């Protein structure tokens, strides 16, 4: 009687996608809309580490570069928004009427 699935992989698929590059890309995309001062630097860091891992043969160099670019855009967007807000008299909170 022949056994089923006797190969050495035991059903585990190995993906060549770099997890840190994906995390950086997600942080960069979400950072354009929400929390750009927090997610922008995270996207840059994840992208840089992911790019270093991609050079070591793990793949995902394009996503890592895109996450670095998006992280820089997030930080620049935050600086521009702060400059516009400060030129219009700063922030004011209206609570209660």
């Amino acid at each position: 009687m022949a056994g089923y699935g006797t190969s050495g992989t035991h059903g585990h698929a190995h993906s060549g996608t770099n997890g840190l590059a994906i995390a950086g890309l997600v942080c960069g995309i979400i950072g354009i809309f929400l929390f750009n001062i927090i997610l922008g630097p995270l996207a840059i860091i994840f992208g840089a580490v992911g790019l270093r891992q991609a050079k070591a043969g793990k793949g995902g160099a394009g996503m890592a570069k895109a996450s670095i670019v998006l992280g820089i855009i997030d930080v620049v967007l935050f600086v521009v928004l702060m400059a516009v807000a400060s030129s219009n008299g700063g922030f004011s909170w209206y609570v209660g009427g």
Side-chain angles (χ1 to χ4, degrees):
M1 186 182 316
Y4 295 105
T6 58
S7 67
T9 60
H10 298 291
H12 295 288
H14 178 69
S15 175
T17 307
N18 191 343
L20 286 174
I22 293 172
L25 191 62
V26 169
C27 286
I29 292 171
I30 295 174
I32 291 175
F33 304 106
L34 298 169
F35 308 118
N36 49 4
I37 194 60
I38 297 169
L39 294 177
L42 282 177
I44 295 170
I45 292 168
F46 288 156
V49 175
L51 190 61
R52 186 171 294 157
Q53 287 181 355
K55 289 180 181 176
K58 199 166 184 182
M63 285 189 288
K65 291 176 186 176
S67 66
I68 292 171
V69 170
L70 284 172
I72 292 170
I73 290 171
D74 290 345
V75 173
V76 168
L77 182 65
F78 177 77
V79 170
V80 168
L81 289 175
M82 289 298 112
V84 168
S86 66
S87 69
N88 289 332
F91 296 104
S92 59
W93 297 90
Y94 296 107
V95 178

